[in-house]
Amino acid sequence: MGLTRLPGLLFGGDYNPEQWPEEVWREDVRLMAEAGVNLVTVAVFSWSRLEPRPGSYEFGWLDRVLDLLHAHGIAVDLATATATPPPWLVRAHPEIQPVDAAGTRLEFGSRQGYCPSSPVFRAATVRLARAMAERYREHPALAMWHISNEYADHTAECFCAESARDFRRWLQGRHRSLDGLNAAWGTSCWGQHYTDWTQVEPPRKAPGPVNPAQLLDWRRFSSDALLACFEAERAVLKEVTPDIPVTTNFMSVLRDLDYWTWAAAEDVVTDDAYPDPADPRAAVKAALGYDLMRSLKRQPWLLLESAPSAVSWRPVNVPKDPGVMRLHSLQALAHGSDGVMFFQWRQARYGPEKFHSAMLPHGGTATRQWRETLALGADVRRLAGVAGTGTRAEVALLLDWDSWWGLEAPESMPSDRLRLHELLLSWYTPLHARGIAVDLAPPGRDLAGYRLVIAPNLYLCTAEHAAALAGFPGRLVVGPFSGVVDAADRVHEGGAPGPLRDLLGVRVEEWRPLPDGVTQEVVTADGTALTARTWTEWLDTSEATEVLARYRGGPLDGRPAVTRRGTATYLGCLPEDPAPLLDGLLTDAGITGVTGPGLPAGVEACRRGPYLFLLNHGAGPATVPLPVETGFTDLLTGRPLPGGPVTVGPRDAVVLEPRPTP
């Protein structure tokens, strides 16, 4: 179920009318209509206004807001308002406030102040969600339900007594018995053997390192506990309004929640993305997050929040230069979003987000920001035909949250420098630079249709994962420190790469992490020199395994660094730039970018359906040597363009639609 009730692309943002007197509302909707806004998110943090006292609801103001929006042709992504409990609930039940790992109960006064496992909190959210659904199920403005807000942003876990009870219930469901738990957690180590379920607690602050298997289960549980909050509200909304799609806004590549599991519970994947204008890698990081969103349900998604300019929560909040708001927005559309939404519509005058930018800033309509809002709204309308179209990728990056959580367990690993987001980016960056479409996938997903699959890291690898990879007929790349442990974080018998050993034809004799500032030279069979940082491995190879690169110098001199068995390649190191290895893999797999070779630096090329997006993130013009075709129409300008090279201005974009053959 997608946003089928709204044609074309979506354009709008978070609207907080409760922060303004009613006389401002009419000006808001008039300006929204002028800008081409067709969807706004309403009531995200309105619980205390909607239910000022237990069981006493005041919907009148929200009725008037929704009526006013509908009268101006603006649909509503209606929040259930459960992102922050009201003061009366917190004071009556202080136990719903979250407790940190040190045992401190956090105070009311910010947002997301709740324990995900609290039955009192969950029951209160369900009551409010039901009241909202019954009130607005027939309202013509209602286009989508928005449950809570940015789960795990402030409260990713809670260590209170109620969470401990919920954790035990979760563990009993997973491990069935204390014997099963003790075996899975390896509690014979450090004298942690449990003889009663009441002895099991969350991994609170302890004198030394905490059992990593306990931490892994805790990460799984914490993601599931928040998901249970979402699913409790979703059940009510689907009971009362079965035809209205339900979502909650994700936060790009987030470690705390297993988005594969979460996306299965959503009708529409929505995302909040805030690329940092001061980060030279911002465009690549954003693209990776967008491709994840598209891959979660393998369908178009929606950018539900982004910043028109500066945010309010970084140490230094750099604004976006002229044109960057538009460029970032078009990038999201290029990677599968069916709209562009912002936080926020009207810039707040008070509170923690008063310096966060808005579509309508403090200075009102006599501002550059407002002019850019108007221009972007016009662009979105010109691109209406893009809505609903898909992207075909021949390359997949594997992302597994269990591996991520296990890999980054504190204080128990050979090195704490292996960070999964960076490992993903190390491969994604050269693919992005070559204009090659990329999907992300969990290791157990059917990989048919891809020509190249890259697993930057599979620290946790099960026999089922290995079997799926062994059955993949295309080129496979597995990064270092993979196949190390099973689902219970126990090292595989015989060592790494565990169940991948026969597929890869290698055995890891020793991990040799590199200290900061130390590098290791790696030389390929054709003499290309690579620089490895952070990580190296002592590999033993089977007779059927080909050595593609060897270490040069140091204690690993001459030993295998990169190997291949059949169509499966293994990297026992982390190249600073894997591009030389990647180019050979792409050639072997017959993969080229959407524009062919020669994409200029700083230019991003994405094909979505029949449309080709060319986005120039650089400070100067760039010419893209497109294959000769019958010609194009630039949808943003309406200009006809001949086949062949296309020049894109600095921080500008073209969206090309092929002209039909005469």
Side-chain angles (χ1 to χ4, degrees), residues 99 101 114-117 122 151-153 155-160 163-164 166-168 170-171 174 202-204 214-230 254-258 261-262 401-402 405:
V99 173
Y114 57 81
C115 164
S117 296
R122 289 189 188 179
Y151 280 106
D153 182 24
T155 300
E157 55 192 352
C158 175
F159 295 83
C160 73
S163 293
D166 198 20
F167 186 37
R168 293 182 202 111
W170 185 93
L171 291 170
R174 181 176 181 85
R204 300 188 181 98
Q214 181 185 10
L215 284 173
L216 177 57
D217 268 353
W218 176 254
R219 293 292 181 197
R220 292 164 168 154
F221 159 75
S222 295
S223 178
D224 285 353
L226 284 166
L227 180 57
C229 294
F230 172 83
L254 179 75
R255 188 186 71 160
D256 292 313
L257 302 181
D258 181 349
T261 304
W262 277 72
W401 262 267
D402 279 353
W405 292 327

Side-chain angles (χ1 to χ4, degrees), residues 17-39:
E18 65 271 31
Q19 296 181 12
W20 302 93
E22 289 202 30
E23 56 264 26
V24 176
W25 300 356
R26 293 194 176 277
E27 180 187 23
D28 280 330
V29 295
R30 178 182 64 80
L31 292 174
M32 287 178 189
E34 181 182 344
V37 168
N38 57 12
L39 180 72

Side-chain angles (χ1 to χ4, degrees), residues 11-42 64-65 68-74 344-348 358-362 364-365 370 373-374:
F11 182 61
D14 274 42
Y15 181 39
N16 302 301
E18 65 271 31
Q19 296 181 12
W20 302 93
E22 289 202 30
E23 56 264 26
V24 176
W25 300 356
R26 293 194 176 277
E27 180 187 23
D28 280 330
V29 295
R30 178 182 64 80
L31 292 174
M32 287 178 189
E34 181 182 344
V37 168
N38 57 12
L39 180 72
V40 293
T41 300
V42 176
R64 296 191 295 278
V65 169
L68 188 60
L69 289 166
H70 177 66
H72 286 75
I74 300 166
Q344 49 195 322
W345 160 252
R346 181 183 284 270
Q347 193 167 17
M359 301 171 75
L360 180 63
H362 290 143
T365 57
W370 175 247
T373 295
L374 292 176

